[in-house]
Amino acid sequence: MYNAATLPSSSLTLAPCAKLQTLYVCCCLSQQLEIPSAAKPLDAGPWLHNLITSISSAGLMGVVIDLDVRHIVDTDVSGLVNVSRFFWNQQRYTELDEFLADPSRFKALKAVAIRLLCGHRTPLHVGDSWRMSVSERFMSMFPKLYSRGMLLYVAFSWLSYGADEDQQR
């Protein structure tokens, strides 16, 4: 798993993977939306955008993008949405939506799943209404995938994991 803050964006490509059928990527999101310039790490840029747009496989059937927020504890649901939105802005989500929804490019693509991975410490004390709120956000961010019936959004909450188990996963 790569941390989005340190990923060398220009070094990864999926172009040689001519028979790629499913892409699974897990992105560990940072709660810190802005990093002080003195401590700023390597600018990874739109690494996920670059990785996905390098796909040349005509047989791509599915894309799964996990947004791991299990370690973010000092925020509320709107804070998690903001962290996610900040990440997607960096990754040029409107271009990803157009690229993946293009039927002439990926004829076999059936689904793009975005999964929010939440841990037992993730502050989700508002019942199930947060799921609909976040789901609606993703639908508005990826309208072409949504209109084609290809966008899947799932939120996971591992309430039984202890702190040590969270760190092992």
Side-chain angles (χ1 to χ4, degrees):
M1 177 180 354
Y2 290 100
N3 180 322
T6 60
L7 184 69
S9 62
S10 62
S11 65
L12 294 177
T13 180
L14 295 171
C17 304
K19 299 207 183 261
L20 180 68
Q21 292 182 346
T22 304
L23 173 66
Y24 171 88
V25 180
C26 184
C27 310
C28 186
L29 301 187
S30 170
Q31 184 171 1
Q32 197 169 12
L33 299 181
E34 292 185 23
I35 301 168
S37 60
K40 192 171 185 172
L42 172 69
D43 182 13
W47 66 268
L48 182 61
H49 172 275
N50 295 344
L51 185 68
I52 290 175
T53 57
S54 75
I55 297 172
S56 61
S57 172
L60 183 69
M61 294 188 294
V63 175
V64 178
I65 302 168
D66 284 349
L67 304 177
D68 189 344
V69 297
R70 289 178 288 174
H71 62 285
I72 298 176
V73 294
D74 294 329
T75 191
D76 57 9
V77 174
S78 65
L80 293 177
V81 169
N82 288 337
V83 167
S84 170
R85 183 69 172 205
F86 181 77
F87 171 77
W88 285 117
N89 285 339
Q90 287 180 321
Q91 302 310 315
R92 302 190 328 226
Y93 67 90
T94 54
E95 293 175 27
L96 285 176
D97 183 43
E98 289 179 25
F99 183 80
L100 290 169
D102 182 356
S104 66
R105 181 173 278 119
F106 299 115
K107 293 179 179 153
L109 186 61
K110 301 292 182 217
V112 175
I114 299 173
R115 305 187 307 181
L116 190 64
L117 305 181
C118 305
H120 72 284
R121 298 174 296 171
T122 307
L124 303 175
H125 305 297
V126 294
D128 284 338
S129 63
W130 71 274
R131 292 176 193 254
M132 183 56 78
S133 173
V134 175
S135 181
E136 288 170 356
R137 277 291 171 121
F138 286 132
M139 287 185 268
S140 69
M141 290 173 64
F142 298 94
K144 292 182 180 188
L145 287 170
Y146 177 69
S147 68
R148 291 197 57 216
M150 298 168 63
L151 182 65
L152 305 175
Y153 167 74
V154 182
F156 293 100
S157 182
W158 288 293
L159 298 175
S160 62
Y161 289 159
D164 292 338
E165 289 170 316
D166 271 349
Q167 291 174 357
Q168 292 174 0
R169 288 196 155 262

